[in-house]
Amino acid sequence: MEHVECLIIGSGPAGYTAAIYAARADMKPVVYEGLQPGGQLTITTEVENYPGFPHGVQGPEMMNMFREQAVRLGADVRYGIVTKVEFTNGGPQKVWVDDKHEIMADAVIISTGASAKWLGIPSEQRLNGSGVSACAVCDGFFYRGQDVAIVGAGDTACEEATYLSKICNKVYMIVRRDEFRASKAMQHRVLNTKNIEVLFNSETDEILGEKGVEAVRVKNNKSGETAEYPIKGFFVAIGHQPNTDIFKPYLAMDEQGYIITKAGSSYTNVEGVFCAGDAQDKIYRQAVTAAGSGCMAALDAERWLGAKQAVQTA
Ligand code: NDP
């Protein structure tokens, strides 16, 4: 059976950054890239808020650069999906790739990220990246001065609607019930922002447009009436799903499945298993914060392994 010092599961900004640091610390990291190599950034277009790129950079291109840097420094980056794990306190940890290849790892860094939830209507998929986005902070800027719509009624939707209201001309907020789910403070902010119009009891019937978004057809689920709103950007903010199912039997998680890390660190409740990026972060969810937490995980793993080896040789 293959035995590695440091295994990294997942390959967004958190996973690749962890790989860069682990490789430089001579931990010979092996990275399994997972279902979507490069993570969520590979389905966005331009990234303008990652420091160091004064003219912006395409999401997929940036992830290629992260990968290239990790490989150049010695990370062994492999295609493959981790399908099962068996964690024990202190390790070594057992990991199965593609249901067959079994690996033992002294330290594991989980960076499997999260996936945005989508409405599931065909026009949303067709126009994804051409006006449809699940991240207002990433893509809102492209619609400055224009009219946009956002779906959702939680804290994220309210926060993103407020963010968009500062950039865009008008924000329609499509809320499926007659009330918000968000905290009172967030609701209050939305309801007191002049250029946000909340459409309660409303569902997205269809996003209209050929090459880009031109309008949204909204259906009132009480009256059955539909109305069209001309918009250029359509944002979906109905929650995220952390990709953490396979770790459920072993790791402490919150009720939504986000892995709980010890405050200010990447330590999970299992010694030798660390977590970085969106799999443990439902608040910030930015590439730069994910990268920062990937760095933390590699440093934590290095120190933990160092302390363990020191005890073994003493
Ligand atoms: P939530 O799960 O809290 O909210 C999701 C929202 O999307 C709900 O209003 C839900 O409607 C709506 N929704 C779900 N599916 C559909 C659908 N198919 N069509 C239309 N609407 C739909 O997710 P969030 O991302 O907002 O928040 C996740 C967690 O992160 C929460 O605990 C939140 O408090 C926290 N958070 C905290 C922040 C902060 O403190 N600054 C910022 C952002 C998030 P319905 O209400 O009808 O179910």
Side-chain angles (χ1 to χ4, degrees), residues 247-280:
F247 311 116
K248 277 208 171 110
Y250 305 99
L251 298 185
M253 295 179 187
D254 70 8
E255 67 286 352
Q256 291 157 304
Y258 287 92
I259 293 170
I260 295 170
T261 49
K262 217 164 92 187
S265 82
S266 66
Y267 281 83
T268 69
N269 59 307
V270 174
E271 263 191 60
V273 178
F274 305 84
C275 184
D278 287 11
Q280 51 87 54

Side-chain angles (χ1 to χ4, degrees), residues 45-105:
T45 49
E46 197 167 358
V47 179
E48 283 193 324
N49 54 7
Y50 199 92
F53 296 93
H55 306 293
V57 58
Q58 294 292 309
E61 188 191 347
M62 183 162 93
M63 283 303 96
N64 271 337
M65 289 193 273
F66 271 55
R67 185 184 196 279
E68 206 180 307
Q69 191 172 352
V71 169
R72 185 179 72 77
L73 291 167
D76 180 353
V77 179
R78 304 175 182 175
Y79 288 114
I81 298 162
V82 171
T83 46
K84 188 180 150 193
V85 296
E86 211 176 278
F87 290 158
T88 45
N89 223 7
Q93 314 302 344
K94 279 192 196 170
V95 169
W96 283 260
V97 180
D98 297 327
D99 284 325
K100 45 184 195 286
H101 183 50
E102 192 179 339
I103 301 180
M104 290 269 240

Side-chain angles (χ1 to χ4, degrees), residues 16-300:
Y16 287 141
T17 305
I20 289 166
Y21 274 78
R24 292 192 81 236
D26 209 18
M27 289 157 75
K28 300 174 190 64
V30 171
V31 183
Y32 277 98
E33 292 192 301
L35 211 52
Q36 190 176 18
Q40 291 182 77
L41 277 180
T42 60
I43 52 161
T44 57
T45 49
E46 197 167 358
V47 179
E48 283 193 324
N49 54 7
Y50 199 92
F53 296 93
H55 306 293
V57 58
Q58 294 292 309
E61 188 191 347
M62 183 162 93
M63 283 303 96
N64 271 337
M65 289 193 273
F66 271 55
R67 185 184 196 279
E68 206 180 307
Q69 191 172 352
V71 169
R72 185 179 72 77
L73 291 167
D76 180 353
V77 179
R78 304 175 182 175
Y79 288 114
I81 298 162
V82 171
T83 46
K84 188 180 150 193
V85 296
E86 211 176 278
F87 290 158
T88 45
N89 223 7
Q93 314 302 344
K94 279 192 196 170
V95 169
W96 283 260
V97 180
D98 297 327
D99 284 325
K100 45 184 195 286
H101 183 50
E102 192 179 339
I103 301 180
M104 290 269 240
D106 295 329
V108 168
I109 296 174
I110 297 170
S111 47
T112 45
S115 306
K117 290 185 191 159
W118 296 98
L119 297 172
I121 53 176
S123 48
E124 171 192 58
Q125 208 181 350
R126 186 171 54 79
L127 292 165
N128 198 336
S130 306
V132 172
S133 162
C135 180
V137 179
C138 320
D139 298 329
F141 194 65
F142 303 119
Y143 306 100
R144 57 187 178 277
Q146 309 195 49
D147 293 356
V148 297
I150 182 162
V151 186
D155 281 332
T156 302
C158 287
E159 203 168 70
E160 297 203 337
T162 308
Y163 176 84
L164 289 168
S165 72
K166 293 178 187 146
I167 307 168
C168 302
N169 179 54
K170 168 112 195 193
V171 182
Y172 297 101
M173 194 165 179
I174 305 168
V175 174
R176 66 180 174 183
R177 291 185 293 138
D178 60 357
E179 60 178 359
F180 287 100
R181 179 178 292 274
S183 59
K184 286 277 179 292
M186 295 281 210
Q187 295 184 28
H188 194 71
R189 206 177 303 164
V190 163
L191 293 169
N192 285 292
T193 303
K194 275 206 184 86
N195 62 339
I196 301 178
E197 182 179 339
V198 184
L199 311 170
F200 285 108
N201 298 313
S202 294
E203 288 171 31
T204 308
D205 199 34
E206 210 59 76
I207 307 158
L208 308 170
E210 274 312 307
K211 293 211 166 69
V213 172
E214 287 162 18
V216 59
R217 191 168 62 230
V218 176
K219 186 174 179 178
N220 185 301
N221 55 27
K222 284 271 183 301
S223 67
E225 280 170 20
T226 58
E228 278 181 24
Y229 298 88
I231 49 159
K232 291 286 181 220
F234 182 86
F235 294 90
V236 181
I238 60 170
H240 280 75
Q241 184 65 46
N243 304 317
T244 57
D245 281 356
I246 57 166
F247 311 116
K248 277 208 171 110
Y250 305 99
L251 298 185
M253 295 179 187
D254 70 8
E255 67 286 352
Q256 291 157 304
Y258 287 92
I259 293 170
I260 295 170
T261 49
K262 217 164 92 187
S265 82
S266 66
Y267 281 83
T268 69
N269 59 307
V270 174
E271 263 191 60
V273 178
F274 305 84
C275 184
D278 287 11
Q280 51 87 54
D281 170 23
K282 64 182 176 198
I283 305 288
Y284 301 105
R285 296 196 298 241
Q286 300 301 298
V288 70
T289 49
S293 72
C295 158
M296 287 166 65
L299 293 178
D300 285 343

